[in-house]
Every structure is written in C-alpha cells, then in structure tokens.
Amino acid sequence: MNSQKKDILYSALLSYQWLFICKDEKFPLRKDLEKFETFKGGPIINAGVLISFAYMVLVFARESKLYNKFLIDNLNINDFQIELDELNSSTQTLDFIRRIRNSLAHANLLIDKTYIIFQDGKPNTKINFRVRILTSDFGNFMNNVLHNWNNFEKLLKLNNNEN
C-alpha cells in the first residue's frame, strides 16, 4: 500500500474532523469562529468543503487503492432526490456511489442554493444520471462515511492487519 497516499488521506480526514469539532457548541473558541465566519461572509463548513471531502474519500481513496467496500456499507441514500437514472443505478448502493464518485471525479456537479446536484454520463454524451441533495443532508451522508472509515480502521487494528 502506498503509505504516502494513505498519509495524505489521513491528513485530510483529520482536517475535516477538526472543522466539525470547531463547529461543536462546546468548542471554547466558537465565538471567535462565528466572528471569523461573519467577517469572511460564510461558514467554514460549506458545499465546497463537503465536495472536497467527498472527493478525497470517494475518488482519491478509490484511485489510491485505499478504498474498501466497508466504507459504503449501510449508507442511507434515501435523502438523495433522484431526478434522472436511466441505468437504474439507484437500486444498488455500490452503483449509486460509483455514479456519485464519477460526478466528483469529472467535476460534473452543480451548487443550486442549498442543494448539491450530482450528474453523470458517458463522456461526450448526454447526462443519464442526476441526483439532488440538500447540502446539510450530504454533510450527514459524508459524516456517515467518516464514521464507517473510523470503524474500518478500528477493525484493522483489532485484526492487526493493514488492509
């Protein structure tokens, strides 16, 4: 396994976890963070952060062979509003996640006010997959992926196995 890529992924995951810790009501510097967000004109956890987090987990980890099916087990895709699915990708979580991953990998997504819209299709052809999800629901979805990742890491340590 490429330890440098694993280090990059772990560093990114730690950064994302830190952002979520900063938003916790009990975080001692929360008032300072709120002032910073007001000054900068937006929250530190936003659609851009969620998309970069999803890219690291669903694209970078997969392409770096750090990805395991365990990461997407038991994920709930019910919050996604399926607008177009010509290939019935939404019937299997693994296929559905592959389509989301493709959307991220090819930057084929849109931000529409409070929604993220993921689209996919073969290159140079029409879109045959489109889903819409509230940014907050996508945050919850990615938080569940992170939870699965942490459980996977615990199992690896228990089994004294590195994948």
Side-chain angles (χ1 to χ4, degrees):
M1 179 180 301
N2 185 333
S3 64
Q4 184 181 27
K5 289 184 179 179
K6 190 174 184 179
D7 289 345
I8 290 169
L9 180 63
Y10 285 170
S11 295
L13 292 176
L14 286 172
S15 295
Y16 295 123
Q17 285 179 325
W18 176 244
L19 288 175
F20 284 99
I21 288 169
C22 290
K23 293 297 284 186
D24 187 276
E25 303 249 343
K26 297 174 187 161
F27 183 65
L29 300 175
R30 183 164 167 99
K31 294 285 185 204
D32 294 326
L33 174 66
E34 289 171 354
K35 288 178 188 174
F36 176 79
E37 290 176 329
T38 301
F39 177 72
K40 289 294 184 181
I44 62 167
I45 298 177
N46 52 51
V49 167
L50 291 174
I51 289 167
S52 65
F53 177 38
Y55 180 88
M56 287 302 294
V57 172
L58 299 176
V59 180
F60 183 84
R62 172 73 176 190
E63 296 299 322
S64 301
K65 310 285 190 267
L66 301 171
Y67 185 88
N68 187 295
K69 185 181 175 295
F70 187 85
L71 293 179
I72 60 168
D73 281 349
N74 304 316
L75 288 179
N76 180 1
I77 60 173
N78 293 332
D79 289 332
F80 288 82
Q81 298 172 17
I82 298 158
E83 295 181 343
L84 177 65
D85 187 7
E86 292 178 4
L87 302 177
N88 293 321
S89 304
S90 57
T91 59
Q92 297 290 322
T93 302
L94 191 60
D95 289 338
F96 186 82
I97 298 300
R98 179 181 52 80
R99 300 302 296 268
I100 298 295
R101 189 179 67 242
N102 288 350
S103 174
L104 289 161
H106 300 289
N108 201 356
L109 52 95
L110 307 163
I111 306 296
D112 181 24
K113 296 180 184 171
T114 57
Y115 288 90
I116 301 173
I117 302 167
F118 297 95
Q119 302 179 128
D120 189 29
K122 290 184 179 179
N124 302 320
T125 63
K126 68 177 186 147
I127 299 296
N128 60 23
F129 175 82
R130 182 182 306 110
V131 297
R132 171 188 301 261
I133 185 167
L134 280 170
T135 304
S136 59
D137 289 340
F138 189 64
N140 292 334
F141 177 81
M142 291 310 303
N143 195 35
N144 289 335
V145 171
L146 187 58
H147 177 75
N148 282 357
W149 180 276
N150 289 333
N151 286 341
F152 175 63
E153 288 297 305
K154 286 176 191 172
L155 283 176
L156 284 179
K157 287 178 184 174
L158 284 175
N159 293 328
N160 201 17
N161 182 359
E162 279 294 313
N163 197 10

